[in-house]
Amino acid sequence: MPGVKLETIGFDKDHLHIVMLIPPKYSIPSVMGKLKSQSASQLRKTFPWLAKVYWNDNIVWSPGYFVSSVSVDEETIKKYVELHGHQDSGQLQLKL
């Protein structure tokens, strides 16, 4: 989609964080739908074994997503997204 840019991507164990610039002419749901469908298609082409894992519906991504805007400067948000998985690993532990 022209004008849509992925600024920063941060990976965690079971999810990822993305900072995106989306022009106002696009709705967030339409951008997310296209991003998920095109990336899932590419993942299935690159990793054919995914068909064995997702055999029923051939779905790679969960159907939902979370969107938020915050009143923090852009550099702080990008740094959080980049380092999120590294900073959180091992901080939360369940003790019985």
Side-chain angles (χ1 to χ4, degrees), residues 5-10 16-22 74-82:
K5 295 183 181 178
L6 298 178
E7 289 282 311
T8 308
I9 300 176
L16 55 102
H17 295 258
I18 303 173
V19 174
M20 298 176 71
L21 296 177
I22 301 174
E74 186 177 345
E75 203 54 44
T76 301
I77 295 169
K78 286 182 181 179
K79 197 174 283 188
Y80 168 81
V81 168
E82 289 172 358

Side-chain angles (χ1 to χ4, degrees), residues 10-11 30 33 45 76 79 82 91 95:
F11 297 91
S30 67
K45 287 178 188 172
T76 301
K79 197 174 283 188
E82 289 172 358
Q91 289 183 359
K95 294 187 180 187

Side-chain angles (χ1 to χ4, degrees), residues 67-79:
V67 175
S68 178
S69 62
V70 292
S71 60
V72 192
D73 65 276
E74 186 177 345
E75 203 54 44
T76 301
I77 295 169
K78 286 182 181 179
K79 197 174 283 188

